[in-house]
Amino acid sequence: MDNVEKRIKELTELLDYHSKKYYVDDAPEISDFEYDKMLRELENLENEYPQYISPLSPTQRVGGKALDKFESVTHTVVMESLQDAFSEAEIYDFDRKVREKISDYTYVVEHKIDGLSVSLEYVNGDFVRGSTRGDGVIGEDVTQNLKTVKSIPLYLTENIPFLEVRGEVYIPRETFKKINEQREELEEPTFANPRNAAAGSLRQLDPKIAAKRGMQIFVFNIQQIEGKEITTHIEGLRYLRKLGFTTILNDDVFSEINSAFTRVKEIGEDRGNLPFDIDGAVIKVNELSKRQELGSTSKFPRWAIAYKYPPEQKETKILDILVQVGRTGVLTPLAVLEPVRVAGTLVSRATLHNQDYIDEKDIKIGDTVIIQKAGDIIPEILEVKKEKRIGREKSFKIPDKCPVCNGNVVREDGESAYRCTSSVCPAQIKRNIIHFVSRDAMDIDGLGPAVISQLLDNNLIKSAADLYYLKAEQIEPLEKMGKKSAENLINAINNSKNNPLSRLITALGIRFVGSKASKVIAKSLKSLDSLMSASRERLTEIEDVGETMADSIISYFKEPHNVDFVEKLRNCGVNFEENDGEVTDNRFNGLTFVLTGTLSSYTRDEASEIIENFGGKTASSVSKKTSYVLAGKDAGSKLDKAISLGVSVISEDEFKSMIL
C-alpha cells in the first residue's frame, strides 16, 4: 500500500469515527472546523487519485445514520448537505461555475445555524409529521418532540393542501448556559455545545424532557408545496413568515458575488453578538428555476455553498486558580483569566477539570495561554505558551483541606477526582438538596434549583429534611411564587412522603448507589432501618452490590450528621418501608430482561417496573445470561446480538401474555 492509499484509508477511518460520534452518539470529540479540514484533505486526495475512491468513502454520502429508537422516515425530497468553503477564493470559484451555467440570477445570504436539520410536513394546514435529516434520505420520526418546540406552528394561517419545509432546530445560548448550569448542579455530564444539546433533546423518547430544553427553530427552505406557486427563495421565505414560521434572519438580495461575500464577512464579524450559534454563512441562488438548471452533484446542490468560520482563538494570562466544591464533594479547579473577548463575549474563567489535566498540560499560575470556546460557548485552554514564562509562574496542586469547610480532602485509588470528606460541607448542601428532589429520587415537582436557592438564602431550610417542615405561608412571599404555587409545592412535598423506599435510598445520595441499585436493595432489605444496620457481609449478598458499594453504605450511616438527617425524615413521616404494591408473585424471579425498540403499550420505564414488580430484573446489554429480549418496533443491534447468542426473543404481545 503506497503512502497516498494509506492516507486515504486513515482519513476515511477517522472521519467515519468522528461522524458517528457527532451524528449518532451526539458526543463530538473534535470541532466542526477540524472535521471539515480532514474531509477537504480526503476530497483533494480522491480528486487527484480517483482510483482510490471507495463507494463507502465519507465523501460519497450525506450525514449520519438514523437511530433505531424512532420510526424511520424516507424523505421524498433528499435533504442535501452543502458544499463547504474555507477561503474567499473558493467562494469566487463557486460563482464562476454558476456563471458558466446560468445567467440573470441573484444571490441570498443566510446565517448557517449550528443545530439539527429537520423536515416539517403539513396537510391542509395541520402539522402532521416532523423528522430528522438522518443520512439525507432516511431520517427519524420525532414528531412528538418537535411539537414541544414553541416556534413550530401546529396550525398554519392558510389551509394549504400540502407543505414540507426544512429548518434548523437549535438551543439559544442563554438557554444552553442555564441547561449546563443545572446539569453541573446535579453533577450530570454537561453538553459540549448547543448543537449537541439540541440533537440529544430531539432524540429523547420522553417528550417531557425535550420540552424542558427550550429548543427553537429557524425555517430556511420549502422542500415541497401544493396549492401555491413560488418562484424565488425570498418569495418563499416571505410566504413562510405569513404562514406563521420563524424564518432565517433577513431576505436581502445581492446581484453579484462581491456584495454577497461582503455580507458573509459582516455576519462573521457579528456572530459573537448573536443569541444563537452559527458555524458559517450560506450563499444561495435566489431563483428556483435557476436552481433546477444548476442541479446537484451526488453530494450537494450546485446552487449553494457554505462559508465556514474558523473558531476564534485568543491569548490571555492565568491570574489565579480557584477551587469549586460539588455535590459529592469533588473539588474542581477553575482558572481565573485576564479578561479577553472571545466569540463575542468577555471570558474571565475556564475550567481545568482536575489535577491530571493540569499536570498533563503543565499549567501554572501566571502562564500565558491560548484559549477558545468549545462550540463557541465553553471556554477551554488549548495550549500553554511556555516560551513566554519568566520564572515567576507558580505550580498548582489541589489542596488537602476543603477551601469551603476545611474538611479533609482525599483522592481514592483509580479516580482522578479529589473529594472533601466532610458531610456538613456548606458547598455540598444545595447540590445535595437538588439531587434529593430530582426525578429519579423523591421527584418533587416545582422544586427547581432557583426555588431551592431562595429557600436557602432566606434561611428557610438547611438540609433536604427541612423541606418537610415548611409551611405554605413561608414560601408564598418568595419570588415567582404566590399563594397557589406555594400550596402546590407543599402538596408535592407532602405527597413525596409516600414514595417507595427505593426512591428514598436514591435521594440520600450515597456514593455508588444509583436508582437501579436502590431498587434491588429496597426489595432485599425491605426497610431503611435494615439498610442502616446491615453488615458488609449482608450487603454483599445482595445482587449487584459489590464491596465498594457496601463500604460506601456503611460509611454513610456511620456519620452522625447523616443519622440525624435520617431521623429528621422519620419524624416527619417519610416512608421507610418497602411497599411491594399489588403484585405479590415472583414469576420473573431469577430472570433478566433486556428491552430494545419502541413499545406501543408501555414506556421502557413502565415495562421495567412491571418486570421488577414480578421479581425480575432488567439489564442494558445482551449477554448469555440474558433470559429474554423484549423487542419492540425497529429493534436494533440488541436484537441481532440476542439472535446470535440464542437468547429468547419475545414480542410485546408475548410479554403481555406473560404478565396476565
mmCIF file of all heavy atoms in Angstrom, residues 56 90 104 125 641:
data_model
loop_
_atom_site.group_PDB
_atom_site.id
_atom_site.type_symbol
_atom_site.label_atom_id
_atom_site.label_comp_id
_atom_site.label_asym_id
_atom_site.label_seq_id
_atom_site.Cartn_x
_atom_site.Cartn_y
_atom_site.Cartn_z
ATOM 1 N N LEU A 56 -17.910 3.669 -0.259
ATOM 2 C CA LEU A 56 -18.225 3.882 1.159
ATOM 3 C C LEU A 56 -17.457 5.049 1.765
ATOM 4 O O LEU A 56 -17.493 5.258 2.976
ATOM 5 C CB LEU A 56 -17.931 2.600 1.954
ATOM 6 C CG LEU A 56 -18.728 1.362 1.541
ATOM 7 C CD1 LEU A 56 -18.286 0.159 2.362
ATOM 8 C CD2 LEU A 56 -20.214 1.594 1.690
ATOM 9 N N GLU A 90 -12.393 30.220 -2.849
ATOM 10 C CA GLU A 90 -13.354 29.151 -3.103
ATOM 11 C C GLU A 90 -14.746 29.703 -3.362
ATOM 12 O O GLU A 90 -15.523 29.123 -4.125
ATOM 13 C CB GLU A 90 -13.376 28.188 -1.913
ATOM 14 C CG GLU A 90 -12.114 27.359 -1.785
ATOM 15 C CD GLU A 90 -12.106 26.548 -0.503
ATOM 16 O OE1 GLU A 90 -11.866 27.119 0.568
ATOM 17 O OE2 GLU A 90 -12.345 25.334 -0.591
ATOM 18 N N ASP A 104 -28.566 35.912 -15.447
ATOM 19 C CA ASP A 104 -29.702 36.634 -14.868
ATOM 20 C C ASP A 104 -30.164 36.005 -13.553
ATOM 21 O O ASP A 104 -31.328 35.633 -13.382
ATOM 22 C CB ASP A 104 -30.871 36.681 -15.859
ATOM 23 C CG ASP A 104 -30.512 37.390 -17.149
ATOM 24 O OD1 ASP A 104 -29.744 38.371 -17.081
ATOM 25 O OD2 ASP A 104 -30.977 36.944 -18.216
ATOM 26 N N GLY A 125 -52.885 22.448 6.177
ATOM 27 C CA GLY A 125 -52.517 23.446 7.185
ATOM 28 C C GLY A 125 -52.168 22.900 8.548
ATOM 29 O O GLY A 125 -51.761 23.661 9.432
ATOM 30 N N LYS A 641 -27.860 -9.256 18.413
ATOM 31 C CA LYS A 641 -26.974 -9.959 19.335
ATOM 32 C C LYS A 641 -27.715 -11.104 20.032
ATOM 33 O O LYS A 641 -27.150 -12.185 20.250
ATOM 34 C CB LYS A 641 -26.388 -9.003 20.364
ATOM 35 C CG LYS A 641 -25.303 -9.640 21.227
ATOM 36 C CD LYS A 641 -24.590 -8.616 22.090
ATOM 37 C CE LYS A 641 -23.466 -9.277 22.896
ATOM 38 N NZ LYS A 641 -22.769 -8.311 23.765
#
